[in-house]
Amino acid sequence: MKKLLLGLMVLLHISSSVFASNKIKTAEIRTQIFCDHCKQCETCSKRIEEALYNQKGIKRVDIDDSKMIIKVAYNVNNITLDDIKQTIAENGYDADDIQATNEAKAQLDDCCKDSNKR
């Protein structure tokens, strides 16, 4: 009986660990980054990261400025991918099919704006 209980406890622990890990998803979001120093720029990297980390459920944010991709790990029980994209757009950057708002773009440093529109 003790072995059966122990076995059930181990099985329950393993299945709950697997279930919990399924809540975390990773998304790669295409964006437009116009400055060549995004990682050091006060506007780009810091603005995007702070905005996302202020959202409940965001676990990790990685910005690849050379590929113009924002990689986000998030808990699907706390935030949706559309909410993540909307947060990025509200901070001045396109997020896949969601365009950044003009008001948010205006708040960016000049180096972070589209050079064709400066």
Side-chain angles (χ1 to χ4, degrees), residues 10-27:
V10 168
L11 182 61
L12 181 61
H13 177 71
I14 291 170
S15 63
S16 67
S17 296
V18 169
F19 180 72
S21 67
N22 289 338
K23 295 177 187 178
I24 306 299
K25 296 216 177 195
T26 303

Side-chain angles (χ1 to χ4, degrees), residues 28-29 31 33 38-39 45 49 61-71:
E28 288 189 355
I29 301 166
T31 190
I33 299 172
C38 174
K39 291 287 193 178
S45 185
E49 289 175 356
V61 177
D62 293 306
I63 300 171
D64 186 335
D65 54 331
S66 64
K67 294 181 181 177
M68 294 194 187
I69 291 176
I70 302 169
K71 191 172 184 179

Side-chain angles (χ1 to χ4, degrees), residues 5-109:
L5 274 173
L6 182 62
L8 286 173
M9 288 174 49
V10 168
L11 182 61
L12 181 61
H13 177 71
I14 291 170
S15 63
S16 67
S17 296
V18 169
F19 180 72
S21 67
N22 289 338
K23 295 177 187 178
I24 306 299
K25 296 216 177 195
T26 303
E28 288 189 355
I29 301 166
R30 285 172 282 120
T31 190
Q32 295 271 328
I33 299 172
F34 296 103
C35 70
D36 59 358
H37 60 284
C38 174
K39 291 287 193 178
Q40 296 82 32
C41 181
E42 282 185 20
T43 303
C44 293
S45 185
K46 186 176 177 182
R47 178 184 291 254
I48 295 168
E49 289 175 356
E50 283 182 3
L52 289 173
Y53 280 125
N54 282 330
Q55 302 295 311
K56 185 176 180 182
I58 299 297
K59 301 299 179 188
R60 184 174 175 99
V61 177
D62 293 306
I63 300 171
D64 186 335
D65 54 331
S66 64
K67 294 181 181 177
M68 294 194 187
I69 291 176
I70 302 169
K71 191 172 184 179
V72 182
Y74 63 101
N75 185 321
V76 297
N77 289 339
N78 298 115
I79 192 166
T80 67
L81 182 55
D82 285 341
D83 289 337
I84 293 168
K85 291 178 184 182
Q86 190 62 44
T87 297
I88 294 168
E90 289 171 356
N91 281 277
Y93 300 91
D94 296 343
D96 287 337
D97 56 336
I98 299 176
Q99 297 294 307
T101 64
N102 289 331
E103 297 82 16
K105 287 180 185 179
Q107 299 297 316
L108 298 176
D109 290 345

